[in-house]
Amino acid sequence: MTERSLRERFGIGLGQLSRLWRKELDRRLSPYGLTEARWLALLLLSRMPQPVTQKDLAARIRVQGPTLVRTLDWLESEGLIERRPIAGDRRAKALRLTDRARPSLARIEEVAEGLRNELFADVDEAEILTCLAVFERLSERLGTAGLQDCPPNPVSAPRPSDE
C-alpha cells in the first residue's frame, strides 16, 4: 500500500468511525430522549467555566448560534437548563444547568463509558496514546487548539446533528 493510499484510507476511516461511534451512542441514548445535539450540549455545558453564553457553547460545539437554538429550547422545556439575562447585555443569555440535568448527565456518562469499554476491550494504552498523538498533530495542522477542547466522551467529531 502506498503512503498516499494509506493516508487516504486513514482519513476516510476516521470519518466513518466517528459517524459510526456517534450513531451507536445516539442509539443507546435515544430511549432517554437524548440526541447527539442534546447530550453534547449538556455534557459540554457541564464542563465549561460558568457563566456560559449560547455563543460560547455554540463555539465549543462548533456550530452557529442559531443552529443551537432548537436544542436549547428543548433542554429548557425539559427543565434541564435555564437561560438567564446577563447584566449589561440585553441580547445575551447565560445558560445554566438545573439540578434536573444531573440524572441525564450521569446517564450520558454511564452509557458513553459502557460503549468505550466495549470498543477498547482489546486495545492497549500504547495504541491509544499513538492515535492521540497523531490526532493532536493533525488537529494542530488544521488550525485548531488541539484536542483539549474535545469533550472527554467518545465523540470527537466537529459537528453534531441538530436533532
Side-chain angles (χ1 to χ4, degrees), residues 30-140:
S30 67
Y32 309 107
L34 294 170
T35 63
E36 182 183 358
R38 293 170 183 170
W39 64 255
L40 188 56
L42 284 173
L43 195 60
L44 291 177
L45 187 55
S46 74
R47 295 180 177 172
M48 293 174 71
Q50 303 297 311
V52 176
T53 65
Q54 179 176 316
K55 183 178 178 181
D56 295 335
L57 184 58
R60 181 63 66 93
I61 294 174
R62 296 186 179 110
V63 297
Q64 296 295 316
T67 301
L68 190 58
V69 170
R70 198 167 95 194
T71 297
L72 295 177
D73 287 346
W74 186 89
L75 293 173
E76 188 175 37
S77 74
E78 293 295 309
L80 302 176
I81 66 165
E82 294 177 340
R83 290 173 169 139
R84 294 186 171 177
I86 296 177
D89 190 341
R90 290 176 25 171
R91 294 185 307 162
K93 301 278 188 213
L95 304 174
R96 188 181 83 70
L97 291 170
T98 65
D99 288 339
R100 192 169 173 184
R102 283 195 178 103
S104 292
L105 286 164
R107 196 171 295 120
I108 292 164
E109 295 282 2
E110 179 184 332
V111 170
E113 181 66 16
L115 179 58
R116 283 192 299 268
N117 288 341
E118 288 175 33
L119 294 175
F120 287 101
D122 61 349
V123 179
D124 67 42
E125 186 177 320
E127 291 174 299
I128 296 170
L129 289 171
T130 298
C131 285
L132 288 173
V134 172
F135 293 167
E136 188 69 35
R137 197 170 326 146
L138 296 177
S139 180
E140 288 170 5

Side-chain angles (χ1 to χ4, degrees), residues 1-19 127 130-139 142:
M1 184 172 289
T2 68
E3 186 174 352
R4 179 179 177 195
S5 64
L6 189 61
R7 289 176 178 175
E8 180 179 29
R9 184 175 169 201
F10 179 90
I12 292 169
L14 182 61
Q16 289 174 339
L17 178 61
S18 177
R19 284 187 295 278
E127 291 174 299
T130 298
C131 285
L132 288 173
V134 172
F135 293 167
E136 188 69 35
R137 197 170 326 146
L138 296 177
S139 180
L142 289 168

